[in-house]
Amino acid sequence: MTPAAKVVICNRCNKQYSVAKYAAIIRCTECKVIIPGPASVELGHQIRHALSKTKSTLHQSFGNGGNSGEAHGMKRALLCGVTYRDKTYSLKGTVNDVKRMKVLLMQRFGYRRDCIRILTETGSESDFSPTKKNIQESLKWLVEGSESGDSLVFYFSGHGLRQPDFNDDEKDGFDETICPVDFMQEGMILDNEINSTIVRPLKKGITLHAIVDACHSGTVLDLEDIWIDNKPPSKADKSTSGGLAICLSACGDDEMASDTSAFTGKDMTGAMTFILIHVVENVPEITYGSLLDQMHEVIEQVNYKRCLTVPCLRILLGHRKIENPMLSSSQEFPVYSKKFLL
């Protein structure tokens, strides 16, 4: 073994490999599992250091807090994690993302297990696979029968794409989409459909949060955003029926999201999902503005202060930096005084 080489061990079959210290990930030749390389582990140390500094700052600013508010109505959530198993474009961290989001909703925000619908490829029941049909039907289930005081969450971790807009309702000329597991056969789900299914029906007093950890997800809810001019040229009505829709997306419409094993050391996870959950778990009483600021701060430290001088981040993320999450809303609200409550 050369002085620059490092030993890594497969977590499943314990086979040892001697690899270069700048290797991000390798695939075990025996069991085909993905193994984090030395560069991934090093980046994980850097990110955890950045998160620990953020945690200290947050507690000094906000204190320990308590449970993030009491429920005043029904709480219902739809969590979709699409792996695209056995495909060349498969993703490794989406199921982990869904598991972490489920724990956050139940333990921090009081969601009942029977009010959370999960669509992943891990089970044997076809009704709970993230197919286009199942996602469409589940989006309808999410808002069905909702009344004033209810809180709804739509979470998606998977691929997001863009396609030309033929309805003249996108300023940039592209519709944003999410990709079901069968999108190559059945097609993608467009932002127009997501808007008409879960945004337009929202009545007064109902709050919907969409958290989308996917590429090109900035305006995936097609909201007439009050912070940026996103009104459709066609003047189509994209507003709610009096309710509040808030979207936290992993990146802008023309940007790519990231997933990496660096955060946990062994499990792949979405970058935005991991940072979001970490900050919220440590400071329950955080506001929307402070949450976004702290997420941006962690990402800035990882992207610039600690990784520009070494190749690990660029290798691990495919020459991409982690993009800053985006916040959009159907109604204006004071982001630095309104608490982040799901």
Side-chain angles (χ1 to χ4, degrees):
M1 185 174 67
T2 64
K6 300 287 185 180
V7 173
V8 297
I9 302 174
C10 176
N11 294 327
R12 179 176 294 177
C13 68
N14 294 321
K15 183 177 177 64
Q16 294 189 7
Y17 295 89
S18 176
V19 299
K21 65 179 181 180
Y22 51 79
I25 57 175
I26 64 172
R27 184 183 293 274
C28 179
T29 58
E30 298 295 326
C31 62
K32 310 303 181 184
V33 71
I34 296 295
I35 311 169
S40 173
V41 175
E42 173 61 23
L43 180 56
H45 293 326
Q46 296 169 354
I47 292 172
R48 283 190 288 272
H49 179 73
L51 288 171
S52 65
K53 289 181 62 178
T54 301
K55 177 179 177 180
S56 176
T57 302
L58 289 169
H59 278 288
Q60 290 174 10
S61 300
F62 299 99
N64 290 326
N67 196 297
S68 295
E70 296 296 328
H72 296 290
M74 178 191 72
K75 288 175 176 267
R76 183 183 291 174
L78 169 62
L79 312 182
C80 300
V82 194
T83 307
Y84 314 97
R85 191 167 48 199
D86 300 325
K87 301 292 193 297
T88 57
Y89 46 86
S90 64
L91 296 173
K92 303 296 182 183
T94 57
V95 173
N96 295 326
D97 290 339
V98 165
K99 290 178 179 177
R100 292 186 176 98
M101 188 58 62
K102 172 189 167 186
V103 171
L104 179 75
L105 292 177
M106 294 180 65
Q107 294 186 358
R108 182 62 66 189
F109 295 105
Y111 280 68
R112 288 170 25 197
R113 176 62 187 89
D114 60 347
C115 292
I116 299 175
R117 179 176 292 190
I118 294 175
L119 301 182
T120 65
E121 295 157 73
T122 56
S124 58
E125 299 181 52
S126 60
D127 288 347
F128 295 99
S129 177
T131 62
K132 182 176 182 178
K133 178 182 178 182
N134 287 345
I135 293 177
Q136 289 172 321
E137 291 180 351
S138 294
L139 287 171
K140 295 175 183 177
W141 164 85
L142 181 64
V143 299
E144 184 179 17
S146 55
E147 299 291 345
S148 179
D150 292 350
S151 297
L152 313 175
V153 171
F154 169 52
Y155 175 80
F156 180 84
S157 179
H159 282 308
L161 293 173
R162 311 173 82 192
Q163 71 174 41
D165 163 41
F166 300 106
N167 298 319
D168 194 32
D169 58 6
E170 298 282 352
K171 295 197 69 173
D172 61 1
F174 291 92
D175 282 316
E176 285 64 50
T177 73
I178 58 174
C179 298
V181 66
D182 57 352
F183 78 99
M184 292 293 286
Q185 296 79 34
E186 301 298 329
M188 300 173 285
I189 299 177
L190 275 64
D191 51 5
N192 299 329
E193 180 178 352
I194 297 173
N195 179 279
S196 63
T197 305
I198 64 174
V199 174
R200 291 285 293 139
L202 295 176
K203 295 180 287 189
K204 185 176 181 180
I206 302 172
T207 300
L208 165 73
H209 284 85
I211 302 172
V212 183
D213 203 340
C215 298
H216 311 297
S217 54
T219 61
V220 73
L221 253 62
D222 242 5
L223 299 177
E224 294 181 359
D225 194 353
I226 45 79
W227 291 301
I228 59 173
D229 185 5
N230 191 45
K231 293 183 178 179
S234 65
K235 302 189 184 305
D237 189 359
K238 301 285 186 175
S239 60
T240 70
S241 298
L244 174 63
I246 299 172
C247 183
L248 188 63
S249 48
C251 58
D253 288 343
D254 59 349
E255 295 174 335
M256 305 284 283
S258 300
D259 66 353
T260 171
S261 62
F263 299 108
T264 63
K266 59 179 181 179
D267 295 327
M268 199 75 79
T269 183
M272 183 197 76
T273 299
F274 185 87
I275 297 173
L276 167 69
I277 291 176
H278 174 88
V279 175
V280 172
E281 283 182 337
N282 283 284
V283 187
E285 299 295 326
I286 198 167
T287 64
Y288 287 86
S290 295
L291 171 61
L292 210 61
D293 287 347
Q294 296 299 332
M295 293 177 69
H296 287 180
E297 181 181 330
V298 170
I299 291 170
E300 180 183 0
Q301 290 183 45
V302 173
N303 282 343
Y304 300 105
K305 295 180 181 178
R306 301 191 177 277
C307 286
L308 275 184
T309 58
V310 295
C312 63
L313 179 69
R314 295 188 292 274
I315 294 171
L316 185 62
L317 301 179
H319 302 278
R320 296 201 308 268
K321 64 185 180 72
I322 303 175
E323 301 293 349
N324 281 327
M326 292 184 58
L327 179 69
S328 57
S329 175
S330 62
Q331 300 174 19
E332 187 171 1
F333 63 86
V335 294
Y336 285 102
S337 60
K338 185 178 178 64
K339 295 177 182 178
F340 179 76
L341 298 176
L342 296 179

